[in-house]
Every structure is written in structure tokens, then in C-alpha cells.
Amino acid sequence: MSWILVFFGSVVLLFLLPLAPALLEWRRKTDDQPLKVVREYDGNIKYFSLRFRHFLSENFSEFMNQTQSEKYQSNITSTKGVLPSGDAYQIIGLEAEPKFTPSEMAAKATTQIILARSSLRISDGMFFEKEIYASDEISSGNKNAFRAILADGDIRLGDNCDIIRWAHSNGNISLGSHARLYGRVSAEGEIHLQQQSRFGRMYAGVIRFGRSEQKDVQDESTAPHLNEFPMPKNIIDQAQDRWLMAGSVEIPAATFHRGSLVAQKDLTLGSRSFIEGGIKSRGDLRLEANSRVDGAVVSTGNMYIGPGCIIKGPVVCEQMIVIEAGTIIGAPDHPTTITAAEIRVEESVIAYGSVWARELGFVSRKKNISE
Amino acid sequence: MIDKQYSKMTIKIKSFCGGISFLVLAVLLAALFVPAHAQEQNKGTPVETILPSPSAAEVSITPANTEFTGVDSIFLSAFTKKPQTTDWIDLRYTAKSRHSSIISDRTLTITLYMLWAVIFLVLVYTARHYYFTFNRLFGTQRHPYIDIDTGDWPTVTVFVAAHNEEAVIEDVLTALLEVDYPPEKLQIMPVNDRSTDRTKEIIDELSLRNPGRITPFHRSEGKPGKAAALKDATAIVTSEILIVFDADYVPGRGLIKQLVAPFFDPENGAVMGRVVPLNTGSNLLTRLLDMERSGGYQVDQQARMNLNLVPQYGGTVGGVRSSALAAIGGWRDDALAEDTDLTYRLLLSGWKTAYQNRSECYEEVPETWPVRIRQIKRWSKGHNQAAFRYVGKLLMSKKISLREKFDGLLLLGVFAMSPILLFGWLLAIILFYFNATDWLIGILALFALMSYSALGNFAAFFEIGTAVYLDGSKERIRLIPLNYFGFLVSLLSISTASFNQIFFGWWLKREMVWDKTARYRKSIAKVES
């Protein structure tokens, strides 16, 4: 009888043993909080710059609250100090150039937070490991690397400059060639990138890639001169001004269509065509030269946008977008978003609003997309 | 919230080691079993075969252990050893009844086939669990619309369904007033469906305090139910996008833009965000439900989005395109689960549902078992109703890809699997008592049992565990074994609901009522960020 008891006892123990960690956690409640949902987060590109501005207000309130006349007093020179957190800082006076220690010059790097009462001038070849701020404009030579930049005026960086985390200007940002923007860059005015530059996430009223000139938007009165897109044979649904088409679709050149188009495979929009609606392909999507889309352009594959196209947006691509010269995406009063894993843009493209390359954004010279 | 907080290489190495360990264990056990089986055969134990096996072994059948009479002998026969065969692997195609006065050979054979069918279905869902989980761990993750932060935002009406929600209605409306969305394009419409508490007063008071921002819709008559209420409210709005919240949800500032962004894609007819339980720590039930929700959203829904399958619109923290809704005939007020119904009607018309895993919103989960049971019964009835309505149309549709059809079928059958599983257990018990031989023998039985015990039963838990891990949680994973008991409760509840649905709902045509989940928040609570 005792053996039977031992047997059943062992079975019960073996059954309960795997439950022991569960029962312990149930009683101790070491991990019973709801998942953290940051309700205040709204994806604002200026999130870090706003936090830094708040940091400046808290730690440098006197400096930040200076009036315009106080900023330009000629007898104010640079001051240095250390914050309670241990971060060193330097407040630049009217000389507008930061001073570095010999060791910093030798290492070509500084860990000081640089604050400028007015404008800030930076020469070549330094790495700023902490944030820099100017209440006016910031201009930099070549081959500088910045962790983060905040300016109430314009930001002008020379060739081969890097921005590691973020940059924001209340004016305009212009960068030289071969710039590398790893983090987020935003401006209330314009962002201007040159060729061979790399970018990630950007937002501005206008983003100009290379040299560009404002192009006249295609006159709407030309639309009636285009041919109406005939209903294709592979259409499978046409409810509510949206045509869903099986397989690949090729829209001929100089065609007009009012409504949205969705292709279950590839979609090609012929040159000088005009779609008054959105277009979507579940494969690759191609817009030939000078075509126009007054709506979103969406592709789960790759996207090629020919020269001189006009797109209202957003432009959403799950793989790679190639945008050729002269294309305009968005409008001054209708900023939009361009997003893809990889975005390759030729010079003279203009975008209004947000450009977000999740893996790589690159500005190439005209007609050298493959570089 | 970070989707992945782990080393991919670490997961891969661990999975590989786990797989190798299992194989080694299986081979070791087989090495023990095979010689023992061969030794047993060499002793000359009487054997039988029911039908010629591939090796065509001849056997003799001793009448003593193949035929029993009398009802009480059913249980006695269980203690009688069944004849063995010489084959290592054998699948039974027919059955021989030990109690032919009760069940014939033919009936038992049909029972056997039904059991194989149940096993096949269970294996399909097991494979599905693993496919989705591995996709979440190692596959390409799709969040194509999450980066859209600037655009010509469409007009939106946010419906807040409210039926006796005085405890929570002010929270959700206050949160909606603070969202980051062009105010001139946002209409907040609480849909008060015949509340008998202070819901109406609270809504009107908030509306007065925020003129032009809140448009109350008070409903005092008409068909009961959320879908009917939404149907009436939709008739008076002209917005391009309709977003639906339940009253116990507390949306964040960026949530509306995140939910609207997918509608820039002209193929999307609906969008679904992720619900996160707020009252997680209330008791064991809420903690278990929290993990279940994690599995359902973090793994299941996101995997279906990754694989271009059929993410489901969930009826709250989600939205629908007005033109798509109009194209499919609007809300169905006779649907027990208007969310599942809508998903399939959109799918059949060529509209996709997008899932936004990072568009999170707090909700309340049931804190008592009776409430939980009622909730899951409601879901299962709604799902089964949708299954009967749309399974045929799904198969015949030319607008849907083959993979979407397959996934759509499996999704429709999710709640049907509970009664099917119970039925399978019953079939196995019948075969055990009535079949003269084992229906699965030899090494195949061994591997099948081991595989299913190790992997099959584990599949759902693997999905939940992975989801909790992806969420960055740690200690709560230890509670997973207790989920088994929750599954048993769900299994019985869903089976009961299915039976009631067939018997009372369809046969007796009993009318359904809006069975709302209970609310637990007692006062206006500030959700800490």
C-alpha cells in the first residue's frame, strides 16, 4: 500500500513541478504591469530637438531668456562650465567660434555642449560628441561630425559632414556634398542636400535634392486633351471609383483616369498620363516621364518614378524607390510623405514634407542612379 | 514599443539546439522501443491483422480478446490487452468492433476516419501557429504605413459606442479631444445606445464644454446592438473614414493619424490597431488574458500582415473606409460579430484590412470568469455565424488569392475547432473501448504521440510565449502553463456556445441581445505614460 502512495505522490509531484514557477509568479506578481503605451508620443520628428530645448531652458534659463540686444553685447565673451550631471559646456560670445583645449584639438573631438549667444562658426574636421545650439545661424566647414544641432537660424554645413542623431533649424538647412544624415533632420524652412549625400528621416516645408528649380505644375486644362483610360478586361471590382485589376496593368501614355487604380501585380503608368486618384501595385510600380498622380502612390515591390513627374502623395514603397530628376512630390500647401526601405533620388527633385528612408536614402547625380 | 528586444542569433541557436535535442531523444526512445517490440514478437504472442498490411503478415485471431457482449463488458474490455501486430508502422483503414451488438464494424470504421480528419485539422492549425510564430521571429516585418506622418489627411468620424458607460465615457472623449489630428477634419461622435445611467448627461456636458468638437448621437429606439447603432450613426455622417472605439478605450495622441494612414493606400478598406489590456494586474485571469491578447496581436495579426494574408478588423481601435463600407452594403445589424462579418465582406469585395501593430490602445479585459465566458461565447457565436455565411463565397471568389482563401478559411474555423477537438476526444474514447485493435501502432504511434505532445500542444503556448518575449516582458512568461486551464474553460465555453447556437439560435430562432462586456474602472483614471 505504501508503494501505491509513493507512486501516486510522485505522479502528483511530477505534475505540479512544472507549475511551480507559474505558481510562484502568480503569488509574487513581479511582472503584472500593463505594457507601456506612451500616450503622449505622436511621432513628431522634432521630439528630440524639443526635448533638448527643454533641457536648455532648465539648465541655462538665463542664457535662453536673453533679449536680442543682450545677445549682441560686445563685452560678452565665452564662458565655460560643468553641469551637475558632469557634462562640460561652453557658451560662445560674439567671437562666434568655440575654443578647444589642446587635447581636444589633437583628438579632433570635443565632449562639450556648445551654446552660442548669436551665430556659431565651426572650422573643419571636428567631432562634436554633444549637442550644439545657436540662437542665430550655424555655419560649418568640411568634414565635421555632429551628434545633434539646434539652431534658431539657418544651418549651413560644408562637404563631408555627418549628423549622427538629429538636427533642427527654425530656418533653413543646407548641406554640402557627401553629407551623411544618420538621424532625423528637420527645418521650418528648407532642407537642401547635394549629390552623393545620404539621409534617413527628414522633414521641411521644402526639401531640395541638388540643384532644382520650381517647375510649373501641369495645367489641369490639359487633362481633357488626354485619352480616357478604357476599362481593362482584367478588372475584377469597380466599386466606388476604385478599379481593382487582376495581374499586371499598363496604362498607355497620355491617358487620363478619374478614380483609384489597384493592380494585383505590376503597374506601369505611361508618360504624360494623369490619374486623379491613388494608384497601388502589389508588385513593382513604374511612372514614366511627366506623368501625374493626384493621390497616393503605393507599391509593395519596387517603385520607379520617371523624370518630371508630379505626385500629390503620399508615396509608400516597401522596397526601393528611384526618383528621377525634375519630379515634384507634394505641394507647398499640401505637404506629404515619401517612405520606403531605400530611396534613391536624383538631383533636382523637390519634395514637400517628410522623406523617410528606413534603411538608406541617397542623392545621386543626374542619370547615374546605379552609383 | 520595440518589436524585437532579443538577439536573432541567440533565438536561432536556441531553436536549433532544441530541435537537435528533440531528435536525439526521439532516436534514443525509438532505439529502446524497437528491440523491445522485436523481443515481444519473438515470444510468439498471438497477433492479428485487420486488413492486409504492406508486409502482408498473416495472423490468427483468438476469439477471446476480440468479441465481448453486454454493456458492462465495454469497461471490462478496456482491461483486456488488444492483439499486437508484427508491423512497426501501420495505419488502420478499417475497424473491428469488440461490441458489435452496440456498434458495428462499419460505424467504427467511420469513427476512425472522422478521428483522422480531426487529427488532420488539428495538425493544420498547429502548423499555422508555428508558421506565424517563426515569421514573427525571423521573417520580414511589414509596417508600410507607420512612417506616414504628413499628408492631406482625410475627414474622419470617430464613433465611440456607448451603452451604460458612465464610468468610462468621459476618459475616452477627453483623450480624443487631445489627439494630434487637424480638428477641422475630425468629428467625435459618441453613439449612446439607450443608456439608462448617466452616460447621456456626461456626453452632453462634454459637448457643451467643447463646442463644435463633439457631436452626440443619442439613440432611444431601433434594433439593439452595436452594429445597429453604428448603422444608424453612419447614415448621418459624411466623413471619408470611420474610426470605431469602445468606450473603455483611451487613445494616445498619435493614434488617430496612425489608424488613418493606411487609408492612403487605395486597396485598404479597413484598419485594425492593437489593444493592450490596462487592468492586467487585477487577478490571475487578467494576467492570462493579457498574454492571450499578446499572442493574438503581436504574433497572429502581425504575421498575417507580414504574409499578406487576412488580418482581421476587430471592431474597436480600428476603422473602415466609408466608400468601401457603402460598397459592401454598410454595417450588418444581424451580425453577432460585426467585426468578423465586416472583414470578410470587405475581403470578398477586394478590400484589404491593414494591421498596425504599433497603433496601441488600452482596453479592459474581463476580471471574472463568468464575464470572460460570456465574452468568449459571444465571439464564438459571431465567428461561427460568419463562417456559415462566407465560407462558400470565400472559396468561389475570384478576387482573392489562394493563400488568402486558405488563411481566411482557417480564420473562420478558429472557434469551430473547440467543439471539433472535443468531438475528437470522444471519438478516440469510443475507439479505445470498442475497437478490437489499436488504431495507431508501432513506431508511428510513438513518433506521432511524442511529436504532438512536444510540438502540437506546445504550438499555441509557443505563440503566446513569443509574443510576450517580443513585448519585452520577462517574468510573466512563467504563467504560461496556467493558460492551459484557461484554454480548457474556453474549450468548454465555446463548445457550449456552438451547441446553443445550433440548437437555440438556428433551430428555435431565439433572438440575440447585445451582451456587453462589464467595465471595471470606477472613476476617471489618468493613464500614466
Side-chain angles (χ1 to χ4, degrees):
Chain A
M1 191 65 168
S2 59
W3 284 111
I4 295 173
L5 283 174
V6 167
F7 172 74
F8 279 107
S10 305
V11 168
V12 168
L13 187 66
L14 278 173
F15 181 75
L16 288 178
L17 205 57
L19 295 179
L23 296 172
L24 273 174
E25 173 53 31
W26 177 21
R27 303 315 303 167
R28 288 184 187 165
K29 292 189 182 180
T30 59
D31 185 16
D32 68 342
Q33 295 303 307
L35 290 176
K36 197 173 177 69
V37 175
V38 183
R39 287 191 57 239
E40 298 309 314
Y41 178 71
D42 56 6
N44 191 344
I45 191 172
K46 293 184 278 188
Y47 177 75
F48 294 119
S49 61
L50 290 171
R51 269 183 53 175
F52 181 62
R53 198 177 283 279
H54 179 72
F55 165 82
L56 292 176
S57 303
E58 290 204 322
N59 291 279
F60 303 95
S61 53
E62 194 184 317
F63 166 80
M64 294 300 286
N65 291 333
Q66 280 178 326
T67 61
Q68 273 300 101
S69 58
E70 282 170 347
K71 285 181 190 176
Y72 287 97
Q73 281 179 5
S74 59
N75 58 346
I76 295 179
T77 56
S78 297
T79 53
K80 289 190 178 186
V82 178
L83 292 172
S85 58
D87 291 320
Y89 67 86
Q90 182 180 155
I91 299 178
I92 314 294
L94 282 181
E95 69 274 25
E97 286 192 19
K99 291 185 174 53
F100 303 114
T101 63
S103 58
E104 285 175 336
M105 291 300 292
K108 292 196 175 302
T110 175
T111 56
Q112 297 180 75
I113 299 173
I114 308 289
L115 309 177
R117 294 179 194 279
S118 57
S119 56
L120 182 63
R121 284 195 305 271
I122 298 170
S123 51
D124 300 346
M126 279 298 284
F127 176 29
F128 293 83
E129 294 181 29
K130 294 284 185 182
E131 293 85 350
I132 65 173
Y133 164 77
S135 61
D136 204 330
E137 65 176 34
I138 296 177
S139 59
S140 142
N142 303 325
K143 296 187 180 176
N144 288 312
F146 304 92
R147 173 188 165 89
I149 307 176
L150 177 63
D152 290 340
D154 295 347
I155 296 174
R156 281 192 299 275
L157 305 184
D159 297 337
N160 295 290
C161 287
D162 297 344
I163 295 175
I164 311 297
R165 294 205 63 208
W166 57 267
H168 178 76
S169 162
N170 284 352
N172 305 313
I173 297 178
S174 64
L175 301 113
S177 65
H178 298 85
R180 290 182 298 190
L181 311 179
Y182 295 106
R184 49 181 74 184
V185 175
S186 55
E188 302 300 330
E190 280 191 17
I191 294 176
H192 194 178
L193 280 81
Q194 302 297 336
Q195 45 132 337
Q196 306 297 306
S197 293
R198 295 172 191 269
F199 58 89
R201 183 182 178 188
M202 300 187 291
Y203 175 84
V206 182
I207 301 174
R208 297 184 193 276
F209 297 91
R211 285 188 300 274
S212 60
E213 292 164 6
Q214 186 72 41
K215 176 186 166 178
D216 287 336
V217 172
Q218 183 180 346
D219 189 358
E220 280 194 48
S221 62
T222 62
H225 297 131
L226 302 173
N227 304 315
E228 184 81 26
F229 180 43
M231 189 172 292
K233 289 180 185 155
N234 57 348
I235 194 166
I236 52 179
D237 187 78
Q238 51 169 318
Q240 303 288 331
D241 291 335
R242 184 202 70 155
W243 289 3
L244 174 64
M245 296 161 286
S248 297
V249 176
E250 268 199 47
I251 299 164
T255 300
F256 169 75
H257 177 75
R258 182 173 282 121
S260 295
L261 301 171
V262 178
Q264 289 188 333
K265 280 193 179 169
D266 302 337
L267 189 148
T268 301
L269 182 62
S271 62
R272 292 174 292 113
S273 291
F274 178 18
I275 306 296
E276 203 174 300
I279 59 175
K280 155 95 182 265
S281 75
R282 289 199 214 157
D284 294 341
L285 195 149
R286 189 177 183 89
L287 271 64
E288 299 291 2
N290 300 305
S291 50
R292 175 177 169 179
V293 179
D294 267 7
V297 178
V298 183
S299 168
T300 57
N302 297 305
M303 192 184 291
Y304 166 78
I305 300 175
C309 292
I310 298 173
I311 300 170
K312 183 180 177 186
V315 177
V316 180
C317 176
E318 296 192 30
Q319 295 183 38
M320 183 171 75
I321 300 179
V322 170
I323 308 175
E324 287 207 2
T327 289
I328 299 174
I329 300 177
D333 54 344
H334 285 113
T336 190
T337 302
I338 306 170
T339 171
E342 190 174 327
I343 302 176
R344 292 181 172 265
V345 186
E346 271 192 356
E347 291 181 290
S348 79
V349 168
I350 299 175
Y352 296 92
S354 181
V355 179
W356 197 336
R358 288 188 295 282
E359 292 172 16
L360 170 69
F362 186 73
V363 184
S364 62
R365 290 192 293 268
K366 266 188 191 184
K367 292 300 175 196
N368 278 313
I369 290 287
S370 57
E371 285 184 28
Chain B
M1 180 131 348
I2 303 171
D3 275 349
K4 293 182 182 180
Q5 293 181 352
Y6 58 91
S7 163
K8 273 189 181 178
M9 188 56 69
T10 304
I11 294 285
K12 283 180 182 172
I13 289 171
K14 284 181 180 174
S15 302
F16 178 74
C17 290
I20 292 293
S21 303
F22 171 75
L23 281 172
V24 167
L25 184 62
V27 168
L28 281 173
L29 284 171
L32 286 173
F33 176 85
V34 167
H37 179 79
Q39 192 179 19
E40 187 67 30
Q41 296 313 308
N42 289 338
K43 283 181 181 174
T45 307
V47 296
E48 71 157 19
T49 188
I50 298 301
L51 90 119
S53 67
S55 61
E58 291 294 329
V59 297
S60 62
I61 300 171
T62 57
N65 62 359
T66 58
E67 189 62 43
F68 298 86
T69 55
V71 176
D72 56 344
S73 67
I74 293 172
F75 299 100
L76 288 174
S77 65
F79 293 97
T80 306
K81 186 177 176 184
K82 294 184 181 180
Q84 304 297 303
T85 75
T86 56
D87 295 319
W88 289 14
I89 296 172
D90 197 2
L91 282 178
R92 296 302 187 191
Y93 302 102
T94 59
K96 173 131 179 83
S97 176
R98 281 173 153 182
H99 310 274
S100 49
S101 58
I102 301 168
I103 292 182
S104 67
D105 291 352
R106 188 193 194 96
T107 306
L108 213 55
T109 302
I110 293 170
T111 306
L112 179 63
Y113 286 155
M114 286 198 290
L115 181 59
W116 281 120
V118 170
I119 290 171
F120 174 72
L121 277 175
V122 170
L123 286 176
V124 167
Y125 277 95
T126 299
R128 180 176 181 261
H129 279 306
Y130 275 104
Y131 185 40
F132 286 175
T133 309
F134 281 118
N135 172 265
R136 270 309 265 130
L137 286 172
F138 305 119
T140 303
Q141 307 303 305
R142 291 183 63 227
H143 305 278
Y145 314 110
I146 202 68
D147 300 337
I148 300 175
D149 57 6
T150 310
D152 187 13
W153 297 100
T155 52
V156 173
T157 296
V158 179
F159 291 129
V160 181
H163 176 64
N164 292 336
E165 305 283 7
E166 62 179 2
V168 297
I169 188 69
E170 184 166 353
D171 289 348
V172 60
L173 294 180
T174 305
L176 284 169
L177 287 166
E178 295 169 358
V179 297
D180 174 31
Y181 201 85
E184 69 279 8
K185 293 191 175 179
L186 177 65
Q187 180 185 35
I188 301 170
M189 182 175 283
V191 180
N192 168 29
D193 188 26
R194 296 161 304 141
S195 298
T196 54
D197 61 1
R198 290 195 60 245
T199 300
K200 180 179 184 303
E201 287 81 6
I202 296 171
I203 290 172
D204 288 341
E205 189 188 338
L206 271 170
S207 175
L208 278 173
R209 274 196 266 142
N210 299 278
R213 300 294 315 277
I214 296 179
T215 308
F217 181 80
H218 298 296
R219 193 167 176 260
S220 55
E221 55 190 16
K223 196 168 182 178
K226 181 177 169 183
L230 291 175
K231 188 176 179 181
D232 289 349
T234 301
I236 65 165
V237 303
T238 56
S239 299
E240 296 164 76
I241 308 297
L242 310 174
I243 303 287
V244 179
F245 282 108
D246 282 350
D248 61 329
Y249 286 61
V250 190
R253 285 201 75 234
L255 187 62
I256 301 296
K257 273 189 178 173
Q258 286 179 350
L259 290 177
V260 170
F263 290 106
F264 284 113
D265 181 339
E267 197 176 18
N268 288 335
V271 69
M272 180 63 195
R274 178 182 174 181
V275 293
V276 175
L278 176 61
N279 55 337
T280 305
S282 295
N283 53 38
L284 179 62
L285 173 62
T286 57
R287 297 183 76 184
L288 296 179
L289 290 178
D290 170 63
M291 291 196 295
E292 254 187 49
R293 293 278 198 277
S294 258
Y297 285 99
Q298 178 70 281
V299 173
D300 219 80
Q301 284 271 66
Q302 182 59 45
R304 294 209 288 272
M305 180 69 183
N306 292 342
L307 296 165
N308 283 299
L309 297 173
V310 186
Q312 185 178 341
Y313 169 72
T316 184
V317 194
V320 64
R321 189 191 296 270
S322 296
S323 57
L325 186 64
I328 62 171
W331 303 102
R332 273 191 85 148
D333 54 15
D334 62 343
L336 294 166
E338 85 281 353
D339 47 2
T340 309
D341 192 86
L342 189 77
T343 303
Y344 280 88
R345 282 191 292 138
L346 286 171
L347 181 67
L348 290 167
S349 295
W351 298 93
K352 296 273 204 196
T353 298
Y355 172 65
Q356 295 269 80
N357 192 46
R358 296 176 193 173
S359 303
E360 295 151 336
C361 189
Y362 282 127
E363 67 150 1
E364 287 189 339
V365 291
E367 291 187 0
T368 60
W369 283 104
V371 174
R372 161 62 176 170
I373 289 168
R374 276 203 300 277
Q375 181 187 59
I376 201 161
K377 280 182 172 179
R378 188 176 75 246
W379 289 352
S380 76
K381 285 181 188 173
H383 228 80
N384 292 339
Q385 183 191 54
F388 277 100
R389 278 180 177 171
Y390 300 116
V391 71
K393 292 177 187 174
L394 188 68
L395 289 171
M396 304 305 295
S397 173
K398 293 191 171 79
K399 299 177 188 175
I400 308 170
S401 66
L402 199 60
R403 50 193 285 135
E404 283 173 315
K405 282 186 189 181
F406 186 61
D407 183 57
L409 276 176
L410 292 181
L411 185 58
L412 281 176
V414 155
F415 283 95
M417 281 309 297
S418 291
I420 288 173
L421 193 62
L422 271 184
F423 183 58
W425 291 351
L426 180 65
L427 295 174
I429 291 170
I430 290 172
L431 280 167
F432 173 75
Y433 282 108
F434 287 89
N435 197 8
T437 60
D438 294 318
W439 57 273
L440 186 68
I441 60 166
I443 203 166
L444 185 63
L446 177 68
F447 275 117
L449 185 65
M450 285 165 56
S451 299
Y452 190 73
S453 297
L455 299 172
N457 279 328
F458 186 58
F461 298 104
F462 182 42
E463 187 170 297
I464 292 173
T466 299
V468 172
Y469 191 50
L470 289 173
D471 280 339
S473 302
K474 290 180 182 171
E475 304 301 328
R476 68 186 68 186
I477 288 180
R478 297 172 197 269
L479 293 172
I480 283 181
L482 298 180
N483 254 315
Y484 183 71
F485 303 104
F487 280 158
L488 286 177
V489 171
S490 297
L491 184 75
L492 292 171
S493 307
I494 293 167
S495 302
T496 312
S498 301
F499 173 78
N500 290 340
Q501 185 174 20
I502 294 169
F503 183 67
F504 294 107
W506 291 335
W507 190 23
L508 296 183
K509 305 278 185 221
R510 194 178 71 179
E511 197 171 303
M512 63 100 186
V513 293
W514 184 3
D515 188 11
K516 189 173 69 67
T517 305
R519 305 287 180 236
Y520 302 97
R521 233 184 305 150
K522 299 213 172 16
S523 60
I524 295 171
K526 292 295 177 196
V527 177
E528 295 297 328
S529 296

